Amino acid sequence: MKIKFTLFAGFLFCTYSYAQQKDSIASKEKLSEVVVTGQLEPQSIKKSVFNVRVISKEDIKQLAANNLSDVLNQYLNITIQNSGSDGRSTVSMFGLDSQYFKILVDNIPLVSDTGMGTNVDLTQVNLDDVERIEIIEGSMGVTHGANAVSGILNIITKKGGPNKWDISATIQEETVGKEYSLTDKGRHIQSAKVGHNFNDNWFINLGGNHNNFKGFYDDKQGKDYSVNDGLRGYSWLPKEQWVGNAMLGYQKTNFKIFYKFDYYGENVDYYSPVLVPQDNYPFPETYFARDKRYITNRFYHHLNANGKLFSKLNYNVSVSHQKQERDAELFDYQMETKQESNNNRFTYQSKEVLYSTGTLSNFFNNKKVDFQLGYEITNENGFYNSAAGTFLDDQLQSKDVRKRLENYDIFTVAEISLTDKFSIRPGLRYSFQSAFENQYASSLGLKYLFKKGLEARASLGKSYRTPNFDELYTYFVDSNHNVQGNPNLVPENSTSYEVSFKRLCNFKSGLQVANNVAVTFLDVDDRIDMVLTQITPSKYKYININKYKMWNISTTEQFAYKNWNLKVGAAVVGISQKLDLAELNITSDDKYLYSLQLNSSISYNIPKWNTLFALYYKYNGQQQQFATGTDGNGNAAFYLNEIKPYSWMDASIRKSFFKNQFEATIGARNIFNVTNVQITQGGGGPTGGAHGGGGVSAMMLGYGRSYFLKLTYNLNFN
């Protein structure tokens, strides 16, 4: 507490002076000072009413990040949830899972298995053509619609370049824990990018990436292990990814237009630990395994135009078409010949989305008052069959679900500068829903600029989350299980409040100190949970029963002096959940459960050597959560799950050669060698201890300490 008080006191009382700086925070902020997420028009971070956090292209390069999972591990209030069984990584913010957090690419929500922008697999979001990442915490329902409850992340891609030709090629090799070889172990990444400006108006960008993750063996023996002792396969499934992208753009005076295409392909291989004997008379019997391959193909099209109408109105219109198909391929793997046979491939999940959003602003052509009118149209066609889970389509005993969801939204936002220092931003959205009652979102933002560089912001936001396919249509009933969705679910509603203070202090000595303190409160009504509704036989169902409250206080302090840059941060989160099960006559404890996160990074630049050293650290404190289950006597009860604390550290050294044409980055991820974290369960649940009694289990977080080498060649000329 004394440390936190000292940091906060420094934030309040640091003095301000206009001194010339070198390699400072200010110079770095110039790279990302213009933000677009949630704004009426591109503007500086200082002018934004929202507290926008920016991850720059330099941050991404220093972490040698290939996808979102690589880069988000180090940021406060964000927790990455990994699954070695299917290779997915998703994000949790403020204790709410990825269904409440929206991921966009150039303001377009990215299609996923269960929604638009939510529950996105972070390993499927490639960062090769990214200029920066903008994050806003809290409800953003007015500007970004459904499910933007805990926050949004907007990936801004590179558009054009300063040179006539920009060409780069990259090779990256990584160990997977201690495991590495050029053929069947490790992680092997290759990428290439080409940018060309035809003239002052036209440009084109092309890129491709191949990421071959060979899986994590751990105590398993791989796919060719032929002993029937349960050790065949991998602890973390092998995954191979292909990414291709292209952008064609035109700009002249007050008009810009671009078309962007992305392709993503992925294979995830599952190798069964069970070997099946087959008769090979008169020779000894042989074995085969019934294996699976999960195949994803995603196509992304985005057309955007922005400019001026009647020399006054600013317009920005985007139309997007996305299609994702996930196939399963079942096959027999012959252990003796190492060949596949009896292959059977089918589509088990697909989603096709037509999406459009647009805004008009600058109605008054007045610097004091600005007004924005916008729309959003979403048309989703989704398909699931029994390989993705067993579903019930309305009241028909069908294993497949085909649904079409539509919403037509209108929203309006105003920015009013009452004085040079004080501005307000009210907003309202109304959504016409095809599957649920119509919804609305509202917001109010305030910004005040004090003397000596102190910036204060406050916001109030109301948003909503719509139920997903699993929650609506799951129907998994047999002699041992009864887990049911609920087509009568209603959208959740949330309210968030945030107050933040930011300041940049320049000292005559050359030291710069940047401070950011934020306090957030989030209240979610009618939260959807899968709960126990009957003890014998056990039945679980998705119901709108949870009352969820969260408060958070976070602070980041950044210091820059000459070639040194240091950042430290801390966040405390308190979460209260109240579940009332009328059928079982029990109610949960709604006390606040607290967790702590700490992070820090330090870098040192040696200009003479063109070398940058960096170290990143994050501490994730103990997390607790109440869940429904049964006690040791078979009675319904609430119990407390606890996830033990753990720390994560990454380090890298980046050096440029030959006038920055060649760049090498070496480093280590997960230096503390984290693989699993212990979970203590206080009772039985729908998985594991269904008969009560609790226990201890492990949650897979990583595959241990790994090392990487990244080599990039850049060629730029006019």
Side-chain angles (χ1 to χ4, degrees):
M1 292 300 294
K2 184 177 180 181
I3 294 174
K4 293 180 185 177
F5 179 80
T6 302
L7 294 173
F8 188 63
F11 163 72
L12 290 177
F13 298 112
C14 67
T15 58
Y16 184 84
S17 64
Y18 293 91
Q20 185 175 1
Q21 304 298 322
K22 306 188 225 178
D23 193 22
S24 62
I25 298 172
S27 65
K28 292 190 176 183
E29 284 190 339
K30 287 179 182 177
L31 296 173
S32 56
E33 63 180 0
V34 175
V35 293
V36 299
T37 306
Q39 313 300 320
L40 272 66
E41 61 182 5
Q43 59 183 331
S44 68
I45 294 178
K46 184 174 182 178
K47 290 183 178 180
S48 171
V49 174
F50 296 117
N51 187 17
V52 184
R53 191 194 316 180
V54 176
I55 301 173
S56 71
K57 180 170 59 177
E58 291 300 309
D59 295 325
I60 296 170
K61 289 172 64 176
Q62 196 61 32
L63 287 164
N66 182 69
N67 56 52
L68 267 183
S69 181
D70 293 335
V71 77
L72 291 182
N73 251 333
Q74 295 295 339
Y75 289 86
L76 286 180
N77 293 326
I78 292 177
T79 302
I80 304 301
Q81 299 176 330
N82 295 315
S83 173
S85 61
D86 59 10
R88 287 175 55 85
S89 292
T90 55
V91 65
S92 169
M93 178 176 277
F94 299 137
L96 295 170
D97 63 28
S98 56
Q99 298 176 89
Y100 299 82
F101 186 77
K102 206 160 187 175
I103 294 177
L104 310 101
V105 177
D106 291 322
N107 280 312
I108 301 296
L110 193 62
V111 69
S112 69
D113 296 356
T114 58
M116 277 287 288
T118 59
N119 202 28
V120 172
D121 182 356
L122 303 180
T123 68
Q124 295 185 354
V125 184
N126 182 262
L127 300 181
D128 273 357
D129 65 337
V130 172
E131 187 65 30
R132 66 185 183 278
I133 298 171
E134 299 175 0
I135 301 174
I136 301 179
E137 298 177 356
S139 295
M140 292 293 293
V142 169
T143 54
H144 291 86
N147 309 323
V149 174
S150 61
I152 57 174
L153 182 150
N154 192 13
I155 297 170
I156 311 301
T157 60
K158 183 179 179 181
K159 300 170 182 68
N163 305 299
K164 186 171 184 179
W165 287 96
D166 291 288
I167 302 171
S168 69
T170 297
I171 295 176
Q172 184 169 335
E173 293 293 308
E174 294 193 24
T175 69
V176 177
K178 298 178 181 179
E179 303 169 4
Y180 179 80
S181 76
L182 289 174
T183 55
D184 63 345
K185 294 180 180 179
R187 186 182 183 195
H188 312 280
I189 303 171
Q190 309 88 39
S191 66
K193 295 182 290 184
V194 177
H196 177 53
N197 292 324
F198 296 100
N199 50 45
D200 292 338
N201 306 120
W202 288 93
F203 71 86
I204 188 171
N205 294 335
L206 301 171
N209 181 286
H210 175 235
N211 180 5
N212 192 357
F213 174 71
K214 293 295 187 178
F216 178 44
Y217 288 76
D218 195 16
D219 59 348
K220 304 294 185 180
Q221 301 298 319
K223 68 176 182 179
D224 293 325
Y225 184 68
S226 57
V227 180
N228 199 8
D229 57 4
L231 294 180
R232 181 178 181 263
Y234 300 81
S235 291
W236 206 299
L237 297 184
K239 175 188 293 189
E240 190 167 11
Q241 300 171 323
W242 297 266
V243 175
N245 52 66
M247 177 181 287
L248 178 65
Y250 174 85
Q251 53 189 11
K252 186 174 183 180
T253 318
N254 292 322
F255 175 71
K256 295 180 181 179
I257 187 171
F258 71 79
Y259 165 72
K260 179 176 174 60
F261 167 78
D262 276 336
Y263 165 75
Y264 175 84
E266 175 186 88
N267 284 359
V268 178
D269 297 317
Y270 169 77
Y271 296 100
S272 173
V274 178
L275 300 183
V276 181
Q278 56 186 352
D279 185 28
N280 195 31
Y281 183 81
F283 303 102
E285 65 179 5
T286 58
Y287 291 90
F288 73 93
R290 295 189 172 99
D291 295 336
K292 303 176 186 178
R293 181 173 295 117
Y294 298 100
I295 304 165
T296 300
N297 285 287
R298 184 175 68 223
F299 300 89
Y300 169 102
H301 305 268
H302 178 194
L303 179 65
N304 173 270
N306 62 85
K308 287 187 176 292
L309 288 175
F310 315 117
S311 302
K312 176 183 176 183
L313 288 176
N314 295 329
Y315 70 89
N316 192 327
V317 178
S318 286
V319 178
S320 171
H321 176 262
Q322 298 182 65
K323 185 174 183 179
Q324 175 177 286
E325 287 189 344
R326 304 197 71 178
D327 293 0
E329 184 176 13
L330 311 181
F331 59 91
D332 295 339
Y333 188 81
Q334 303 294 330
M335 302 306 301
E336 187 175 69
T337 63
K338 297 179 173 53
Q339 299 293 319
E340 298 178 11
S341 62
N342 300 323
N343 295 60
N344 176 27
R345 178 170 171 173
F346 57 92
T347 299
Y348 69 86
Q349 185 270 340
S350 69
K351 179 167 286 190
E352 187 169 9
V353 180
L354 182 63
Y355 175 89
S356 180
T357 185
T359 59
L360 282 175
S361 61
N362 199 36
F363 283 86
F364 306 112
N365 198 22
N366 188 321
K367 293 183 178 180
K368 296 289 185 181
V369 179
D370 203 354
F371 173 74
Q372 184 182 78
L373 184 64
Y375 76 90
E376 181 184 81
I377 298 173
T378 306
N379 187 318
E380 299 181 45
N381 285 281
F383 162 76
Y384 284 75
N385 84 352
S386 56
T390 306
F391 296 97
L392 182 69
D393 192 353
D394 297 327
Q395 299 302 315
L396 303 177
Q397 298 295 327
S398 170
K399 292 183 178 181
D400 296 346
V401 174
R402 297 180 185 272
K403 288 293 179 180
R404 178 173 176 172
L405 301 176
E406 301 173 78
N407 63 274
Y408 303 89
D409 298 10
I410 55 173
F411 61 91
T412 179
V413 178
E415 282 195 5
I416 305 168
S417 299
L418 299 177
T419 69
D420 291 340
K421 298 181 179 297
F422 183 48
S423 59
I424 64 174
R425 179 184 163 119
L428 182 67
R429 171 185 287 249
Y430 193 81
S431 177
F432 299 90
Q433 300 273 326
S434 64
F436 312 103
E437 291 186 1
N438 296 340
Q439 301 294 310
Y440 81 94
S442 60
S443 65
L444 177 64
L446 306 172
K447 181 188 68 178
Y448 191 86
L449 302 179
F450 291 91
K451 295 180 180 180
K452 298 183 179 180
L454 177 62
E455 306 168 20
R457 292 173 173 83
S459 64
L460 163 66
K462 289 184 175 291
S463 189
Y464 57 94
R465 183 183 82 84
T466 53
N468 62 36
F469 263 82
D470 288 346
E471 294 163 342
L472 291 168
Y473 306 118
T474 294
Y475 189 80
F476 185 30
V477 178
D478 59 22
S479 58
N480 298 313
H481 305 86
N482 191 321
V483 180
Q484 298 186 33
N486 185 356
N488 297 317
L489 291 172
V490 299
E492 303 174 5
N493 288 284
S494 68
T495 305
S496 73
Y497 309 85
E498 183 182 87
V499 178
S500 66
F501 299 91
K502 182 187 292 185
R503 191 173 188 183
L504 174 65
C505 301
N506 299 294
F507 296 89
K508 292 181 180 179
S509 63
L511 173 68
Q512 278 196 329
V513 181
N515 319 86
N516 194 340
V517 177
V519 179
T520 306
F521 180 79
L522 180 64
D523 188 351
V524 181
D525 284 326
D526 294 325
R527 187 167 180 241
I528 299 168
D529 260 322
M530 184 176 71
V531 297
L532 181 70
T533 59
Q534 179 177 302
I535 300 175
T536 307
S538 296
K539 290 185 179 180
Y540 293 86
K541 192 172 185 178
Y542 288 101
I543 305 177
N544 291 96
I545 65 163
N546 194 331
K547 177 72 173 177
Y548 187 95
K549 294 182 179 180
M550 182 284 308
W551 73 266
N552 166 261
I553 180 169
S554 62
T555 178
T556 57
E557 317 292 326
Q558 188 172 356
F559 308 88
Y561 182 70
K562 295 184 178 179
N563 297 327
W564 288 94
N565 200 310
L566 170 67
K567 182 185 291 186
V568 294
V572 177
V573 177
I575 296 174
S576 167
Q577 298 186 81
K578 184 175 182 179
L579 294 86
D580 189 359
L581 295 180
E583 298 93 335
L584 302 177
N585 196 29
I586 59 172
T587 303
S588 72
D589 192 328
D590 63 351
K591 69 179 181 181
Y592 278 91
L593 304 174
Y594 296 95
S595 62
L596 171 69
Q597 285 190 352
L598 304 172
N599 75 341
S600 63
S601 65
I602 185 170
S603 64
Y604 181 68
N605 184 29
I606 306 178
K608 183 179 179 179
W609 297 352
N610 289 327
T611 303
L612 183 65
F613 299 84
L615 184 69
Y616 299 84
Y617 170 77
K618 185 179 180 185
Y619 170 80
N620 295 275
Q622 177 178 274
Q623 301 174 58
Q624 297 178 314
Q625 184 177 5
F626 285 106
T628 58
T630 55
D631 60 22
N633 298 318
N635 300 315
F638 286 98
Y639 59 94
L640 193 63
N641 280 348
E642 296 182 356
I643 301 176
K644 297 302 181 183
Y646 62 95
S647 295
W648 198 277
M649 180 178 282
D650 299 333
S652 67
I653 303 172
R654 180 158 55 98
K655 180 174 175 57
S656 299
F657 304 87
F658 312 121
K659 297 181 180 180
N660 296 325
Q661 284 190 341
F662 185 77
E663 188 175 83
T665 306
I666 61 172
R669 306 189 199 277
N670 191 6
I671 291 174
F672 292 126
N673 201 33
V674 176
T675 53
N676 301 306
V677 62
Q678 181 177 301
I679 302 176
T680 303
Q681 297 175 321
T687 60
H691 302 290
V696 176
S697 61
M699 179 175 68
M700 181 173 286
L701 287 176
Y703 40 76
R705 184 185 305 112
S706 59
Y707 303 92
F708 62 83
L709 170 64
K710 181 178 182 180
L711 304 175
T712 300
Y713 179 74
N714 300 299
L715 181 61
N716 309 311
F717 58 90
N718 291 306

